[in-house]
Amino acid sequence: MMVPAPAQHINTPRPPAGSGVTHTVLALQDRRHQFSSDRMGLLLLLASTLLCGCIQSGIVASEDTSFKISSVTLTIEPAEEVPRNTNVTLRCQTKVLTSGSMALTRKYTIFKENRIVHTKMTESSDDVLYLLPEARVSNNGKYVCQLTIEGEALSSQPKKLKVMGLSKPTLHLNRTYLTEGDTVTATCSAPGETGVFGFYFYDDSVELGDVQTDSNRAQSTLHFTTLGPHRLHCFYTVDNMPVDVKSEESNEVIVTVRGLSIKPVLEISPENNVYEGDPLNISCRVETSGLNSENIEVYLSQDGNSRWLSMGKTNTKHRMTATGPQLTFECMMTMEHLKKSERRNVTVIELFSAPVLTMSPAEVFQEEPMTLTCRSEKVASEKLNRDELSYYLSSNQSFASNGSGVFKVKALKTDHICIAQARGIRKTSKVLKVHPKVAVSVPKISLQDKPILEQPFHVLCQSAVGSLPITYILYSNSTKLKETVVHLPNQTALFTVVIYNAKELGSYKCEARNGGKRMQSEELVISAIVPLSRPTLTVLPDLSDISEGDQLNLICAVNGTPPVTFRWYREGDKHPLRITTSAETFKDYEVAVVSKQHSGLYYCEAENRASIMVRSNPVDIDVRMALWKKAMIGGIVFLFILLVVTAGCVLHYRSKRVRVNRSAVSVWTERKPEADNEEDHSTVSNEPDVEYTEVVHPRSAEAARAPLRRGTDTVYSELQNSTHGPPEGHDYVSNTRDTQHICSFSDQILGSVNSNSCIHACRTTVM
């Protein structure tokens, strides 16, 4: 039983005594209000109900009482460690706080090693005592006191009692002189001790028996197997958890055992010069010397055999064939508690040795012929001729006989055993495990990496089957390059090769061999992959001649091993303009009709099986305006200038006419009058005089790139001369300035026209 853990007592007020009666009273009061006329009857009913309730429940109304267990203390008197025979008292002191004078029923429980050893119920607050008169070692242990009140409990701290000393045991025998087969009764006592005991009986240092009991004395029946004196003693232990306490040894008692004139006799014939296969006659009997032989039995046995060879009352016999190298026999007799035996050894000379099975050759391939030889190396020639030996070969599925011990078989994976036999003697060799080698298959040669120029790559050589170890040799153009040996099943022959010449075509072969078998792989031709050089991006037509409407070709060219994957990009675009793979080392990207939107930076990238991406330098492409657009703009500009100049000159001519002297050099000239007609002198012809001037148009900057040639196109401006000459007071300087203003206005509009040419034309017109 486990000791309850110390718990804090929490007490709640008990319900008032007779609470059930109170409910009855309330019920009766309600009825009294309902039936006021029956007050006397209700009072009588109330009194009877109260009386019955008290009798039935046994509860007496009293004042409410609450309590709290404050402490529980256990002490050991006179001390916690005392000698044996000391009167020990365990005192349990408690402190309980109450709110009333009503006595509380208290339950005291004393535990020893979690087992209840004492219980007491009391209403007294006095200390509870647990007495251990004449304490013994069996009283040792940890003690705890527990107080329980109305279901609430509190335990003390454990206290350990230790009693020192055990009484000396005494040994008594019912007899001290015995003959072989007799028994003796031994009694061992522990005076004055209590508890659970273990008694042990010894003959010097040899234990004869033990007894476990809760009594302080024990008996045991002892018998002896040897003659002569025997010194007996005993001791005991007291079970004192968790460790037993051992007493001192008891007094010594000597027992003398005398022998009987009875013994077993073992006879073996022949006993010397016994060879394997010789017959043996063994007899086992008892010499009684006139004693009663009713209870005698004899047993003949052999070491290594769990069953006896034979048995009988006073004698028994057995016949067998001798087998080596040594035989041990025992003749044993029993008579009640008496047992006697005799043992003898027989040395057996080996007739022939165990055979040894060998194979040749030591290494052989599957299905190839091999020779198994079975032979016994030693033969007792004085007893046996070697020709008398027979040999047998035992395999998994076959059994063959051959007198010579030589067997011709095919090499298969199997276990062989050789048996040699002569004169009824069979001897077996050790198991010979034959594991013929498996010839290598034709190896396969393959590339493990890309053969990139001047970079190491790996060539794998492997045979599907073949016994390990396998030697692999790599040849290049019949020249041995490297050799490796594979010892493990998961190991591979991996050769590292480097090609330094791009024009070199490597021809590789692999050879595998294990033992005398050699196999060569097919030829593997390897050409090195030349990594790509930096690409060059060529533009057609020339960068200076790219105009709108032209066809544009971007040619990306590299040096290296095809196939090559080309990509064209324009800076600013996320995706390539074109991706293509070619068997050539160059490829172009074509734009059929270019426009201004195709201007920008272009570059190309290239990649081959070497997996090295290379990129060209960027090329800046500027698409110029088309020639027909330039010509159209030039024509429009020219017409516009011509119209502006003509309009300016006409307006100026009409607004400001001047006369021109004959002597003066002017563009204004007067028609000479007709001599014969005077009317014509005063009449000015409606047809104005016309003069012409040459206007030269300078070429634009784009045209300046073309080859130079002399311009032959001449544009004439028609200027009319007034017949009246310039008006009076006309300011030529003003006229010239006005003309310059007109030309300057035209030059601002048509920036591509030479203003000096315009001014020259205008001046010629006004002068």
Side-chain angles (χ1 to χ4, degrees):
M1 175 178 177
M2 299 296 295
V3 178
Q8 183 178 1
H9 177 73
I10 301 175
N11 188 35
T12 56
R14 291 181 297 174
S19 60
V21 177
T22 303
H23 289 295
T24 305
V25 172
L26 293 176
L28 292 176
Q29 287 177 353
D30 291 339
R31 293 182 61 189
R32 185 186 59 186
H33 290 297
Q34 295 176 4
F35 306 100
S36 58
S37 61
D38 297 330
R39 290 181 180 178
M40 184 60 67
L42 290 173
L43 290 174
L44 293 174
L45 179 62
L46 175 61
S48 62
T49 302
L50 288 173
L51 181 59
C52 293
C54 292
I55 293 173
Q56 292 175 359
S57 61
I59 299 174
V60 179
S62 63
E63 59 178 337
D64 295 343
T65 301
S66 61
F67 66 90
K68 180 178 178 61
I69 302 176
S70 177
S71 64
V72 178
T73 304
L74 178 67
T75 57
I76 298 177
E77 300 172 355
E80 294 182 7
E81 184 173 329
V82 295
R84 65 186 299 272
N85 292 330
T86 302
N87 294 325
V88 177
T89 301
L90 274 67
R91 182 182 299 275
C92 186
Q93 296 175 310
T94 62
K95 182 178 181 182
V96 180
L97 304 177
T98 63
S99 62
S101 59
M102 180 180 177
L104 299 174
T105 300
R106 310 180 184 211
K107 179 182 178 182
Y108 291 88
T109 305
I110 296 179
F111 296 88
K112 176 192 176 185
E113 303 293 348
N114 299 333
R115 292 179 298 178
I116 298 176
V117 295
H118 180 69
T119 302
K120 182 178 181 180
M121 302 289 293
T122 181
E123 293 182 352
S124 172
S125 61
D126 295 340
D127 296 346
V128 173
L129 304 179
Y130 175 52
L131 303 179
L132 297 174
E134 296 183 352
R136 297 290 187 266
V137 171
S138 59
N139 299 129
N140 288 357
K142 290 182 179 179
Y143 292 84
V144 173
C145 178
Q146 184 184 75
L147 172 63
T148 304
I149 302 176
E150 295 184 5
E152 301 296 332
L154 184 64
S155 299
S156 69
Q157 293 296 323
K159 294 293 183 178
K160 186 174 182 180
L161 173 63
K162 185 175 182 180
V163 179
M164 308 294 292
L166 288 172
S167 62
K168 182 176 180 178
T170 59
L171 177 63
H172 174 73
L173 302 179
N174 65 340
R175 56 195 298 193
T176 57
Y177 290 95
L178 307 175
T179 58
E180 284 183 300
D182 290 344
T183 59
V184 63
T185 301
T187 303
C188 188
S189 302
E193 299 295 338
T194 60
V196 179
F197 298 89
F199 290 92
Y200 301 88
F201 300 89
Y202 275 79
D203 178 4
D204 286 334
S205 61
V206 179
E207 183 179 344
L208 300 179
D210 67 274
V211 177
Q212 304 295 322
T213 180
D214 56 0
S215 173
N216 65 347
R217 65 191 301 271
Q219 288 185 347
S220 178
T221 300
L222 309 177
H223 66 275
F224 304 92
T225 59
T226 60
L227 303 178
H230 297 268
R231 300 178 181 276
L232 304 184
H233 70 271
C234 71
F235 67 85
Y236 66 91
T237 61
V238 179
D239 184 8
N240 187 22
M241 295 179 61
V243 180
D244 292 345
V245 180
K246 180 181 176 181
S247 72
E248 61 181 310
E249 293 182 355
S250 70
N251 57 303
E252 186 179 86
V253 179
I254 299 176
V255 175
T256 303
V257 179
R258 293 174 297 180
L260 291 175
S261 57
I262 183 172
K263 64 178 181 179
V265 177
L266 178 63
E267 295 177 344
I268 302 173
S269 177
E271 191 170 0
N272 299 316
N273 296 324
V274 178
Y275 287 85
E276 288 179 323
D278 289 349
L280 285 179
N281 297 308
I282 308 108
S283 67
C284 177
R285 61 184 180 85
V286 176
E287 291 183 353
T288 60
S289 299
L291 293 176
N292 185 9
S293 60
E294 270 187 34
N295 299 324
I296 297 176
E297 289 182 344
V298 292
Y299 300 89
L300 178 62
S301 63
Q302 178 186 353
D303 283 3
N305 195 337
S306 59
R307 299 179 61 182
W308 59 69
L309 300 177
S310 62
M311 68 167 292
K313 281 296 185 179
T314 57
N315 65 82
T316 184
K317 294 180 180 181
H318 181 72
R319 182 181 176 88
M320 62 180 293
T321 300
T323 57
Q326 182 172 293
L327 298 174
T328 301
F329 299 97
E330 181 181 24
C331 177
M332 181 179 68
M333 58 147 290
T334 62
M335 187 179 66
E336 295 182 355
H337 300 289
L338 176 62
K339 288 183 181 180
K340 285 187 176 183
S341 64
E342 182 181 4
R343 295 172 63 88
R344 285 192 181 184
N345 296 327
V346 176
T347 301
V348 180
I349 302 171
E350 189 175 51
L351 192 62
F352 57 91
S353 61
V356 177
L357 183 61
T358 59
M359 64 175 285
S360 63
E363 288 189 355
V364 65
F365 288 90
Q366 280 186 338
E367 300 292 337
E368 290 185 350
M370 70 174 184
T371 301
L372 297 178
T373 303
C374 181
R375 182 177 176 83
S376 293
E377 297 298 331
K378 296 180 180 179
V379 175
S381 58
E382 69 277 9
K383 195 76 173 178
L384 178 69
N385 294 324
R386 185 173 287 276
D387 295 340
E388 296 182 53
L389 277 173
S390 298
Y391 297 101
Y392 301 88
L393 180 65
S394 176
S395 302
N396 291 344
Q397 301 295 334
S398 62
F399 188 87
S401 174
N402 191 314
S404 64
V406 178
F407 303 90
K408 301 288 185 180
V409 296
K410 281 188 177 182
L412 297 174
K413 185 178 181 180
T414 185
D415 296 341
H416 296 277
I417 297 175
C418 170
I419 300 172
Q421 181 174 334
R423 297 187 181 181
I425 305 299
R426 293 169 60 94
K427 294 187 178 182
T428 304
S429 69
K430 293 182 179 179
V431 176
L432 174 65
K433 295 182 178 293
V434 177
H435 295 282
K437 298 184 70 173
V438 178
V440 292
S441 60
V442 175
K444 291 184 178 180
I445 187 170
S446 60
L447 270 175
Q448 294 299 102
D449 310 304
K450 296 176 182 179
I452 300 173
L453 185 68
E454 297 182 356
Q455 292 186 16
F457 60 92
H458 296 92
V459 176
L460 174 65
C461 186
Q462 190 171 19
S463 293
V465 295
S467 297
L468 299 174
I470 301 176
T471 301
Y472 292 94
I473 303 173
L474 183 66
Y475 294 91
S476 175
N477 299 323
S478 302
T479 302
K480 181 179 177 180
L481 292 182
K482 295 182 180 180
E483 177 179 327
T484 185
V485 180
V486 172
H487 296 276
L488 302 176
N490 297 325
Q491 190 177 356
T492 58
L494 204 60
F495 299 97
T496 302
V497 182
V498 180
I499 297 178
Y500 295 98
N501 188 355
K503 297 181 180 180
E504 176 185 347
L505 285 177
S507 175
Y508 296 89
K509 281 188 177 182
C510 172
E511 180 181 281
R513 62 189 182 192
N514 61 345
K517 301 294 183 180
R518 297 188 180 189
M519 302 296 291
Q520 273 200 349
S521 69
E522 296 180 353
E523 186 178 50
L524 176 65
V525 178
I526 301 175
S527 59
I529 300 173
V530 180
L532 298 179
S533 63
R534 188 186 188 98
T536 58
L537 185 60
T538 304
V539 181
L540 292 179
D542 189 76
L543 290 174
S544 61
D545 294 336
I546 301 174
S547 300
E548 290 180 312
D550 290 348
Q551 175 179 312
L552 177 64
N553 292 86
L554 301 177
I555 302 172
C556 190
V558 294
N559 290 324
T561 302
V564 182
T565 299
F566 294 95
R567 295 177 179 85
W568 286 265
Y569 293 88
R570 182 170 66 177
E571 285 194 358
D573 292 347
K574 294 182 179 179
H575 303 289
L577 301 173
R578 185 189 180 194
I579 301 175
T580 183
T581 301
S582 173
E584 305 292 338
T585 56
F586 63 91
K587 199 68 178 175
D588 72 318
Y589 167 60
E590 178 181 320
V591 180
V593 179
V594 296
S595 63
K596 273 289 188 179
Q597 287 75 13
H598 290 97
S599 297
L601 288 174
Y602 290 80
Y603 62 91
C604 72
E605 291 180 347
E607 182 181 11
N608 67 353
R609 287 180 296 158
S611 300
I612 300 175
M613 182 74 72
V614 290
R615 177 184 290 187
S616 70
N617 291 324
V619 175
D620 190 3
I621 295 178
D622 184 16
V623 181
R624 304 183 185 281
M625 187 180 294
L627 291 176
W628 64 271
K629 288 185 179 181
K630 293 181 182 179
M632 182 181 290
I633 293 173
I636 293 172
V637 170
F638 173 74
L639 291 176
F640 182 77
I641 293 173
L642 183 60
L643 290 175
V644 172
V645 172
T646 303
C649 292
V650 170
L651 291 175
H652 182 75
Y653 167 74
R654 288 182 177 180
S655 62
K656 296 181 181 180
R657 295 182 178 178
V658 295
R659 293 180 180 178
V660 182
N661 295 328
R662 291 180 180 179
S663 59
V665 181
S666 173
V667 295
W668 298 94
T669 59
E670 185 180 357
R671 295 178 62 93
K672 295 180 181 182
E674 296 289 338
D676 295 336
N677 193 352
E678 291 193 5
E679 290 180 20
D680 294 336
H681 291 297
S682 58
T683 304
V684 180
S685 174
N686 292 330
E687 295 292 329
D689 294 335
V690 179
E691 290 186 1
Y692 297 90
T693 182
E694 181 179 356
V695 179
V696 179
H697 297 277
R699 289 171 300 179
S700 63
E702 290 82 355
R705 295 191 183 98
L708 298 176
R709 60 175 181 159
R710 181 174 179 81
T712 57
D713 298 336
T714 303
V715 179
Y716 296 93
S717 297
E718 183 177 320
L719 303 178
Q720 295 181 355
N721 293 332
S722 174
T723 57
H724 302 286
E728 292 182 1
H730 179 72
D731 187 0
Y732 288 98
V733 177
S734 176
N735 292 339
T736 302
R737 186 179 298 113
D738 293 338
T739 304
Q740 290 177 345
H741 288 327
I742 294 171
C743 291
S744 176
F745 173 72
S746 301
D747 181 56
Q748 292 176 0
I749 297 175
L750 310 170
S752 62
V753 180
N754 192 327
S755 61
N756 291 332
S757 300
C758 177
I759 294 171
H760 174 72
C762 291
R763 285 179 179 174
T764 305
T765 305
V766 299
M767 287 182 61

